[in-house]
Every structure is written in structure tokens, then in C-alpha cells.
Amino acid sequence: PTVLLVLGIQEILVDQEMISKISAAGKLMQCSASLDVLFLLDGSYSIGKGSFERSKHFAGKLCDALDIHPSRVRVGMIQFSSTPHLEFPLNSYLTKQEVKERIKRTVFRGGSTETGQALKYVLRKGFPGGRNSSVPEVLIIISDGRSQGSTAMPAMQVKERHITVFAVGIKFPRWEELHVLASEPPEQHVLFAGDADDAANGLYSTLTGSVCSTTAPGCKVESHPCERRTLETVKELAGNYVCWQGSKQPNAVQASLCPFTRWKRVLIKHPSRCFRTICPDPCDSQPCQNGGTCVPEGLDRYHCLCLVGYGGDFHCAAKLSLECGVDLLFLVDSSAGVTLEGFLRYKAFLKRFLQTVMGQDSPMNVGVAQYDNDVRIPIELGQHKDMFSLMKSVDALNFSGGRTLTGRALQYIAQHGFRSTPVFADVQDDLPHVVVLLTDSKSQDSVAEAPKFMKDRNIFLIGVGSSFMRAELTRVTGNPQHTVVYSDPQELFNKIPELQRRICSVDNAEGCQAQSLDLAFAVDASSGIGLENFLHLRRFVRSSCLHFTINRDVTQIALVIYSSKAHTVFALTTHTSNSAVLQAIDQMPFLGDSASAGSALLHVYSDVMTVQRGARPGVNKVVVLLTNGGGLEDAAAPAQQLRHNGILVFVVVIGDARRDTLLRVAGSPNYLVHISSYEDLQYYQGFIIERICEEAKSPVNLCKPNPCLNQGVCILGPGSYRCECHGWEGPHCESRVLRGDSPRSPVLPPHSHVQWSPRGLQPFSRAFQHTRR
């Protein structure tokens, strides 16, 4: 195709990195000298309208490299074909934007290619609107070099007037004629318009030193081999045919073979040199660490694109850290089932993980074992005290092949993986023991007893594998929350932060249990969900509640179900133990009817997450909305009301739903979990609980939701709040002022049990409920 030919008309014979540097430097060129520039645009039929438009675009791009100003660079334009035509003189447009706009408006004229006549016009008229040779003059001819008249004499005369001539090829140029037109040496004055950034660089490189100011510090002009090509029509022998020729004998002809030819278009090569400015790339020093990709921004700035787990600073330092004390043993599958490629991938992942989360000063309580038929521990726990020696040992791990006996390997590790020896006496025996299993092959022996092996010896097991291994990893670990699965090999490396969280969760097994939290579940029980899927949601809520210590001091849980209307199954203060909550969840009914998530959230706002209903000031509040995405049209406004009142809305959606609608309800992608099926809901429980726990640790606004009753105004103080009452009195405006009394608004002391202790707030909660009655 023609486009490919045009791109191949000129080629600088350097590597792609150098090409990128030339192009980048071309974009930054700026000539600020006093200079008159006249464009001579070929507008003939041999160019055609399409190539003429490309010539205009190229001229506009060159203007970007010129500091156009009345006292610096002035630009004019002549279009030539059968006759030259002045498009605009040099003194007409005196800003870069005006010149570029005028170039865009130039209309193709058509005609024969009379380049010689155009040069004679310049000799006769000079540079129209120019400064009469008091400043350097530059003529830029943009043409295909296929003139229909002689150009040698007028071109020589133009150059004798000390006009610098650049000949820029367009379309499929005839380079021999462009060399005649251009100033000496032609290698520095002949360019190609197909690559505007390269041509701008070439123009600037030639003018640097003689006309334009010198290049930026560190930049230099270099000569590179290049090759230019001309598309020519040539005659070639196509074959022979039988023809009849005359004979010396009278009345006789002779059969013979006669050649026949055909015309063919070919690219003729012209070796040359191209002079280009190269500037030091800020990425040359490879400033990005840990496999980060450096992206230059101009001559002296750059930014780093960091791999997952890095980005702790501008240069991709590790941003994760283990942040927990554990004895960590990796068990790597090196059986034939995982293949050599899979084994090498796990080695690379292991190195990346250790480099990311283990700082140079971290205690190296790390070991590595591998298995197939047998189990080997080539890197004993705590064997290495520095990252360099640990990485060297990981590199030395070899693929073995063999059967995939995962069950046997786990039993061996449970018995022998964490034995203390005098050699490793400094390994702390009181640290939690964690095994990370890396496998992508189904076990050829039973793994049913693996959870028991580990639990009997207080070992926390995490399974890492591809999504097709999900079911087996769940059986191996005994808990879907202890698995890390990936859908494709590249995603494995994106799982580093998740694995880090899984490992450290064993060091803080209490999780949310030690944090005070008011938590409400709003569950879709409409016909759109269906009874079977509703039971999935009920089981999810039930198992989620097992992660919390439920009492008046720590976690309070409420449950709301909804269809077209919302119903409170139990309020925050209804149940004060885990067993009572679980029993109540088991009685949660299916409603049917249509769904209105908005009415459910509004119900939570007005009748669940209020101080009158048992919500505690000074305690974080979270609503988890479980839905299939139906009935969300009216939910955005109530969700925003909840957020404004200091209550987080966490949206868990199962199935297809419009993401823009979901985001309006959740308020942020950080509070939205979109799950493809109800069967997969269990695999996201750990992540959802972690996000809830993170919120439980965030700072709290003591006045949200408003703890003051009866239109009392909550006023924050340093570490405290007070209620400003009108017609009511008491710490929370809960008592009506009797006639003759004056209202009082006591300030709660910073460490008051009423303010901070959930237990201390219960009398007020009962008082609120009594007042409402």
C-alpha cells in the first residue's frame, strides 16, 4: 500500500531507541534567532491534493520549531505550480498561531511543476515582507522534485545570494533534483516531510551554530547513515514470444523468438548521511528501580511506571513491607504437572515477592521447600540474613519433575518444616508459622487431611494457584479466604499485595474483633434475587458475622431486608452475642416482590443508624448493601445522605449491572465489589471483611450521625462534643425542660464514659427509646 511506501522513502539506519531520541529532540526544537523563513510549496498536479495537505501539515509542524515574533522569526509562503502565487508575505502574520491558521487555509491550485519559475520569482521579488537581507534568509522548498523545466541555474543563483535552501521531499520525491535545489552540503539540507519531527530536527541541526542559538546543554549534532528511496518506473524484460521474421529467400518467412518488456515501478536506493541533534535522555541513567519503566518528559524530566508492589517513592522503591512477624516457608511445586515454564514462573514470583515485601533490614525468617515425589528444603528457615544471599539461593532452585504428591508434601512440612536447630537458634519460635503453597497442578494423592496436619501444629496455610485450582486450594487450606488465585500468568504478579495481606492476617487474627463498629447489612430479598440466591446471601451474612465479637462494647450488628419496602430483622441493640445474632439470621425471611434499594438505605438512615436506635457516637458505622443490581435507580440520594452523616456505604453486587449506576451508589470504586456469580461470593468475603476493618480504624466525627435528640445541635470540641438544646436538656437533649427551669447544655469531658464507651452509652440509648415512647 502507498502508506507503507511513503514511510519507507527515508530510513535512518540506527536502532529504534535512537530513532525515538531523534523524534523527541525534534519536538523540543525552538529557533529564536532573527530569521526570515519563506516556504515554497509545490501545488502542482504531480503532488496531488492529498500530498499538498501533508505539505501544509509539515509546514505547520516546522513552525512549532520557530519562535515566530516580529523581532525574531518571520514566516511567509509562496505556492507554485504553473506560476508562482504569493499566499502571504513575511510581515502579515506575526504570531505562531496566526501563521499556522493561515497555512491551514491555503487552497490547492494545481497545474504543471514549474520549480524553476518559482525560484526566478524569488530572485526577482526577494522575500516579500522580509527585512532585506539584514537577517539570514531561509528558503524551504517542499516538492516531489519532478520539475518540468530546468532548475539548476535559478537554484545556483538563489544560493549565490546567500539564501540557505532546504529541499524537503514529499510523496515519492526525485532526490537527484532535490540535491540540486538544496544548499551545500546537500546531506544537511535535504529532508523528508513524511516524518515531521525528524525533519524539524534536521532543519534545526543544520541551523544550530550558524543561525539559531546553540542546543541545550549536553545536546550534540551527530551524523548517521541513512537511505533515501525514489519510486521510479523502469522497463524490464517480461519474456519472449514467437514472432515471424523475413528471410533472404523470396516469398519466405522465418519463425523466431522476440522479447517483450513491461513497465514496473521500483524503489531505487540512494545511500546518504543524515545529521540529527541528539539530547541526553533523562532515562539514560536507568533511574527506575525494581523493573520499573522510565518514561521521559522532555530533556530533563521523567516518571517511572512501577511494577505491582513497588512505587514507594519516585524511583519504584518497594512500597509494601511484611509489617508482621512470622516464620514464612514457601512450598513450591516442581512436579511434571506444573511444567518447567510454571516452575520458573513461580521462582520469578517468589523473587519479586521477597524483593517487594522484605526490606534489607527485615529479619529473614524465610525458607523455601520444593516437592514432587519427594520433599526437599533447600533453603532452611532463617538460613539467610541478607537479601543478596537469599536471592542467590532462590536462583539455584532446579526443576525436578515427577508426580504431584501435594498431600504428602504438606504432611512432611507440617512435621519437619519449622524444626528449630542450634544452627538457627535466633529464629523466634514464638512467631506464627505460615506456609505458602505455590502449585498449578492437581494433586495425585489425597489432600483431605492437609488442613488437619496444619491445624494440629498451629500452622497457617495459604494456597496460591490459577483459577482452575480454586476448588482444590480451598480443600487444601480448609478456607476459601486462605487462597490466592489468578486468571492468567501475568496476573500472578499483581497478587503480591493480596498475598502480603493474607500472610499478615495470621499475625492479627482478631481482625475487626478488637475494633468498635456499628455494622448493618441491607439484603435484597426481592423476587429478582430468587429464593435460591437469597439463601446464598443469608449464608454470606451469617459467615461474615463470625468475624466479629458481638456485644455492647465492640461490634453491634443490625440486619435489614428489603423488596419494595424495607424491614428491620433486628436492630443494633437487639442482640448482644454471636449466637443470638446467628440464630436471628437463620430466621431471616424471603420477601419476594420488586426491589427498591433506595427505600432500604433510607430506612437504614432514619431507623437503624441513629443514636436513638442504638448507634454509638465515636464509633465507625458501615452499611453493606447486598444486591443483584436491581432497584438501584432510587438509591444514589439515600446513599449520599448516609455518607454525609458519616456512614460508609459498601455495595456488593452479584451479576450484571451498569457500572455508572453502581458508582453513584457506592460513591467510589473503593467501596464497590462486583461479583459474577453467587457461588463466587464466598471467595470475596475475606476482602470485604478487610475493607470493613480498615474503615473501623479510621478517624470518627463525633457529631455524625447527630447524637443530639429533639433538634439539638451537636458542637464539636477538642476531643469531645456537646449538644446545644432548645426546650430540652440533658447530655443529649433527651429531657424536656419543665416550666420555670432553664435549659442546660453540659459539656462532655474528653474522657467521659458517656462520650467514648459504648457500654456507657447504653443508658442513654434506653433513655432515648423511653423518651420516644
Side-chain angles (χ1 to χ4, degrees):
T2 301
V3 173
L4 295 179
L5 287 173
V6 169
L7 293 176
I9 291 298
Q10 175 179 281
E11 182 179 358
I12 300 179
L13 305 177
V14 293
D15 58 35
Q16 187 57 47
E17 182 180 357
M18 184 62 71
I19 294 290
S20 299
K21 286 187 176 184
I22 291 171
S23 179
K27 293 176 183 177
L28 300 169
M29 299 305 178
Q30 190 72 204
C31 184
S32 298
S34 294
L35 188 66
D36 281 353
V37 176
L38 180 62
F39 285 104
L40 200 59
L41 253 66
D42 187 342
S44 65
Y45 289 130
S46 69
I47 286 288
K49 190 172 182 180
S51 292
F52 181 75
E53 291 300 317
R54 285 192 287 274
S55 297
K56 286 165 51 179
H57 172 74
F58 171 74
K61 291 286 287 185
L62 279 190
C63 287
D64 289 332
L66 304 173
D67 186 10
I68 299 174
H69 186 273
S71 63
R72 293 188 286 277
V73 180
R74 294 187 184 182
V75 175
M77 178 177 285
I78 294 172
Q79 181 183 171
F80 71 92
S81 52
S82 302
T83 59
H85 174 79
L86 178 63
E87 295 290 346
F88 60 91
L90 282 83
N91 57 359
S92 292
Y93 304 101
L94 302 177
T95 68
K96 184 177 299 187
Q97 191 60 36
E98 289 175 347
V99 170
K100 292 177 70 173
E101 287 296 326
R102 178 59 183 83
I103 291 174
K104 285 182 182 178
R105 296 199 302 270
T106 302
V107 178
F108 175 67
R109 294 182 177 274
S112 59
T113 311
E114 299 292 346
T115 312
Q117 293 296 326
L119 294 174
K120 290 175 182 177
Y121 179 91
V122 173
L123 288 169
R124 187 169 64 254
K125 299 285 188 178
F127 276 37
R131 284 166 279 190
N132 300 320
S133 303
S134 61
V135 300
E137 295 176 324
V138 174
L139 180 66
I140 302 176
I141 305 171
I142 305 177
S143 172
D144 61 358
R146 297 177 185 272
S147 178
Q148 292 171 306
S150 175
T151 60
M153 184 57 69
M156 182 182 68
Q157 291 172 336
V158 167
K159 288 179 278 190
E160 284 176 349
R161 291 195 182 183
H162 303 292
I163 297 173
T164 303
V165 181
F166 286 90
V168 182
I170 191 72
K171 202 175 180 181
F172 304 114
R174 183 174 289 149
W175 296 104
E176 297 94 329
E177 182 172 312
L178 295 182
H179 278 243
V180 171
L181 294 173
S183 294
E184 294 291 333
E187 292 83 2
Q188 296 185 29
H189 293 84
V190 173
L191 305 170
F192 179 58
D195 187 339
D197 293 328
D198 172 75
N201 188 313
L203 176 77
Y204 186 90
S205 300
T206 301
L207 295 178
T208 296
S210 61
V211 178
C212 299
S213 57
T214 55
T215 57
C219 297
K220 58 183 178 180
V221 178
E222 294 182 352
S223 169
H224 303 284
C226 61
E227 187 174 86
R228 298 185 175 111
R229 303 178 182 96
T230 303
L231 188 65
E232 296 286 1
T233 303
V234 298
K235 184 188 292 186
E236 69 173 7
L237 178 66
N240 297 287
Y241 65 94
V242 177
C243 61
W244 300 97
Q245 295 182 344
S247 172
K248 293 181 180 180
Q249 299 177 3
N251 301 321
V253 292
Q254 181 176 329
S256 178
L257 289 177
C258 298
F260 67 92
T261 58
R262 63 183 176 189
W263 295 97
K264 182 181 179 182
R265 303 189 79 187
V266 296
L267 285 171
I268 299 176
K269 298 179 180 179
H270 300 271
S272 184
R273 304 291 299 181
C274 290
F275 292 81
R276 300 293 184 264
T277 297
I278 304 297
C279 297
D281 191 321
C283 292
D284 286 345
S285 60
Q286 298 180 339
C288 304
Q289 306 167 10
N290 300 309
T293 301
C294 182
V295 180
E297 298 175 350
L299 295 178
D300 56 357
R301 299 179 62 190
Y302 64 90
H303 69 272
C304 294
L305 297 177
C306 304
L307 297 171
V308 173
Y310 298 98
D313 66 5
F314 187 76
H315 297 102
C316 299
K319 69 177 179 181
L320 294 172
S321 62
L322 207 52
E323 295 178 348
C324 56
V326 295
D327 287 342
L328 181 59
L329 182 65
F330 288 89
L331 179 59
V332 184
D333 185 348
S334 65
S335 69
V338 83
T339 73
L340 174 60
E341 180 184 0
F343 177 74
L344 294 177
R345 185 184 307 122
Y346 281 142
K347 272 181 62 174
F349 172 79
L350 180 56
K351 290 178 63 177
R352 177 85 62 81
F353 179 85
L354 293 173
Q355 290 170 333
T356 302
V357 305
M358 304 294 291
Q360 295 295 334
D361 300 325
S362 300
M364 291 288 147
N365 294 335
V366 177
V368 180
Q370 58 184 112
Y371 74 95
D372 46 19
N373 297 326
D374 301 309
V375 185
R376 299 165 297 286
I377 307 180
I379 304 175
E380 295 277 0
L381 191 70
Q383 177 179 338
H384 295 287
K385 305 305 175 191
D386 63 88
M387 182 63 70
F388 177 78
S389 62
L390 179 59
M391 290 297 101
K392 194 172 180 181
S393 292
V394 172
D395 283 332
L397 297 176
N398 292 316
F399 178 68
S400 53
R403 299 174 64 207
T404 311
L405 302 183
T406 307
R408 177 181 175 184
L410 289 169
Q411 184 173 5
Y412 180 90
I413 290 299
Q415 295 171 347
H416 306 288
F418 295 93
R419 291 187 305 177
S420 295
T421 67
V423 177
F424 313 117
D426 57 338
V427 176
Q428 302 175 48
D429 290 330
D430 58 341
L431 292 177
H433 294 171
V434 180
V435 172
V436 177
L437 171 66
L438 297 169
T439 181
D440 200 26
S441 176
K442 293 288 182 71
S443 179
Q444 294 173 277
D445 65 345
S446 174
V447 296
E449 296 298 314
K452 185 176 184 301
F453 298 152
M454 298 297 168
K455 188 174 181 180
D456 289 347
R457 290 167 175 78
N458 294 318
I459 296 173
F460 186 77
L461 177 61
I462 299 171
V464 179
S466 65
S467 53
F468 113 100
M469 288 289 295
R470 188 195 300 272
E472 178 162 311
L473 290 175
T474 301
R475 288 198 299 274
V476 168
T477 61
N479 189 333
Q481 296 173 46
H482 298 169
T483 63
V484 177
V485 297
Y486 55 91
S487 57
D488 60 73
Q490 183 53 45
E491 193 192 8
L492 170 63
F493 295 88
N494 297 335
K495 294 292 183 178
I496 288 175
E498 182 180 345
L499 178 58
Q500 184 254 357
R501 289 196 301 270
R502 293 276 185 270
I503 292 171
C504 284
S505 66
V506 67
D507 198 30
N508 183 21
E510 291 290 307
C512 276
Q513 296 177 13
Q515 297 290 330
S516 295
L517 177 69
D518 286 344
L519 173 63
F521 289 96
V523 183
D524 188 344
S526 68
S527 57
I529 290 287
L531 178 59
E532 183 180 351
N533 292 332
F534 174 76
L535 296 177
H536 276 290
L537 296 180
R538 190 166 74 180
R539 285 193 292 271
F540 174 80
V541 174
R542 191 182 196 282
S543 60
S544 296
C545 290
L546 294 172
H547 291 261
F548 302 95
T549 298
I550 299 172
N551 59 45
R552 293 279 188 258
D553 296 323
V554 186
T555 302
Q556 295 187 147
I557 292 182
L559 177 59
V560 172
I561 55 175
Y562 70 92
S563 54
S564 57
K565 295 182 180 179
H567 305 273
T568 301
V569 178
F570 53 85
L572 290 169
T573 56
T574 303
H575 300 297
T576 58
S577 69
N578 286 66
S579 58
V581 166
L582 297 178
Q583 188 174 354
I585 291 172
D586 289 338
Q587 304 303 315
M588 179 171 70
F590 177 66
L591 299 177
D593 203 358
S594 60
S596 172
S599 66
L601 294 179
L602 197 59
H603 179 79
V604 171
Y605 174 81
S606 59
D607 291 309
V608 177
M609 283 294 185
T610 65
V611 175
Q612 299 95 313
R613 297 293 189 186
R616 296 164 293 176
V619 173
N620 276 294
K621 295 164 182 61
V622 177
V623 179
V624 178
L625 177 67
L626 292 163
T627 174
N628 68 348
L632 289 175
E633 297 78 10
D634 60 349
Q640 182 58 38
Q641 280 184 289
L642 285 164
R643 284 191 290 273
H644 181 72
N645 221 25
I647 302 166
L648 170 70
V649 180
F650 205 107
V651 181
V652 180
V653 183
I654 304 96
D656 296 328
R658 288 178 58 87
R659 185 169 175 80
D660 55 344
T661 303
L662 301 178
L663 286 173
R664 281 197 295 272
V665 179
S668 164
N670 295 330
Y671 305 121
L672 172 64
V673 176
H674 201 165
I675 304 171
S676 59
S677 69
Y678 288 88
E679 290 74 16
D680 289 341
L681 185 59
Q682 59 178 325
Y683 303 121
Y684 289 83
Q685 186 179 66
F687 171 75
I688 294 169
I689 298 298
E690 285 175 13
R691 294 291 292 112
I692 293 172
C693 293
E694 288 173 11
E695 290 302 318
K697 300 173 184 176
S698 60
V700 182
N701 185 335
L702 298 175
C703 286
K704 289 189 176 183
N706 186 4
C708 308
L709 290 175
N710 302 305
Q711 278 103 36
V713 178
C714 180
I715 300 174
L716 280 173
S720 65
Y721 69 92
R722 67 183 178 87
C723 290
E724 190 174 90
C725 308
H726 301 282
W728 298 79
E729 64 179 0
H732 298 90
C733 307
E734 70 275 9
S735 301
R736 185 183 294 277
V737 176
L738 299 177
R739 187 171 297 174
D741 291 345
S742 58
R744 299 181 294 276
S745 300
V747 176
L748 301 183
H751 301 290
S752 163
H753 286 289
V754 172
Q755 178 189 352
W756 293 110
S757 168
R759 188 192 305 276
L761 285 170
Q762 295 310 313
F764 286 105
S765 176
R766 288 193 290 272
F768 297 156
Q769 294 164 9
H770 177 74
T771 302
R772 289 172 65 88
R773 288 196 293 270

